[in-house]
Amino acid sequence: MASRPETEWRGLYVLTPDESDTARLLRMTEAILAGGCRWLQYRNKTASPCHREEQAGALRRLTRARGARLIINDDIDLALTVAADGVHLGEADGDLAAARARLGPDRILGASCYRGLERARRAVAAGADYVAFGSFHPSPTKPDAARADPDLLRQARDLGVPLCAIGGITLANAPALLAAGADLLAVISAVYDAPDPGAASRAFLQLFETTATPS
């Protein structure tokens, strides 16, 4: 695992939407980071490679200014180009051990494990710093994704790495996931589509202070 204080591996993990307007994306993200979020994943499935590099570079500058981490979704080359803090890879996005070798020991490697505990064990063995499970609830980003049971988080506590929950997470359903053992709550629309993204960021972070977590 990339060496960081344990408390830094807990909190709100915001993923960017497929936003073509870079200025608008930066305005919303600035508010989210000002609200206290310290984990940002750049994810844009519709932008051209040039546009993605422009947006990722701008977000790298913004996250540095705010003391936040920038993780790039599915693109090691882009992560290295903009000097991001790490990469998050899905099932079809390449070999995790090879990704760890390219990233080196100091950058973060995250892995989507969906509903698979054994996949998560293999990911950790290959060098993943954290694993993500989901979708726990219906998600506008991936409406057809298979559902994961919160008990999966309880079963995964012995993996020894932070656990990220994703998929349709809202302020209403987040406490149950935290109580089940989630260290990171990954959201997109619950923050970016909120009337006040900064206030939404703060509200999610307050849940980490008020929700009991498993020992």
Side-chain angles (χ1 to χ4, degrees), residues 101-164:
R102 286 196 66 195
L103 292 171
D106 296 327
R107 283 194 168 92
I108 297 168
L109 177 60
S112 291
C113 297
Y114 314 100
R115 298 182 296 166
L117 187 57
E118 282 308 309
R119 173 176 169 78
R121 294 191 195 283
R122 292 193 299 271
V124 173
D129 293 300
Y130 72 88
V131 293
F133 295 109
S135 177
F136 286 100
H137 298 282
S139 164
T141 303
K142 293 185 177 181
D144 299 324
R147 299 286 171 267
D149 191 302
D151 193 54
L152 180 60
L153 295 167
R154 298 184 181 91
Q155 297 172 28
R157 293 307 297 175
D158 67 349
L159 291 174
V161 298
L163 309 179
C164 178

Side-chain angles (χ1 to χ4, degrees), residues 14-118:
V14 175
L15 282 63
T16 62
D18 291 341
E19 175 59 63
S20 61
D21 186 335
T22 301
R24 183 170 185 270
L25 176 66
L26 292 175
R27 283 197 302 272
M28 291 189 294
T29 305
E30 171 90 46
I32 290 165
L33 298 180
C37 174
R38 291 296 175 265
W39 285 82
L40 182 75
Q41 183 181 131
Y42 175 61
R43 180 186 185 277
N44 191 328
K45 298 297 188 179
T46 62
S48 68
C50 183
H51 197 183
R52 281 167 51 82
E53 185 173 334
E54 173 201 346
Q55 290 188 333
L59 290 170
R60 172 72 288 194
R61 292 187 290 274
L62 183 58
T63 52
R64 276 189 176 138
R66 286 288 182 180
R69 295 159 203 79
L70 177 66
I71 307 298
I72 303 296
N73 179 270
D74 297 353
D75 193 332
I76 298 174
D77 290 335
L78 180 58
L80 295 175
T81 296
V82 302
D85 293 290
V87 170
H88 184 94
L89 297 180
E91 185 173 20
D93 298 321
D95 180 75
L96 290 171
R100 169 52 70 203
R102 286 196 66 195
L103 292 171
D106 296 327
R107 283 194 168 92
I108 297 168
L109 177 60
S112 291
C113 297
Y114 314 100
R115 298 182 296 166
L117 187 57
E118 282 308 309

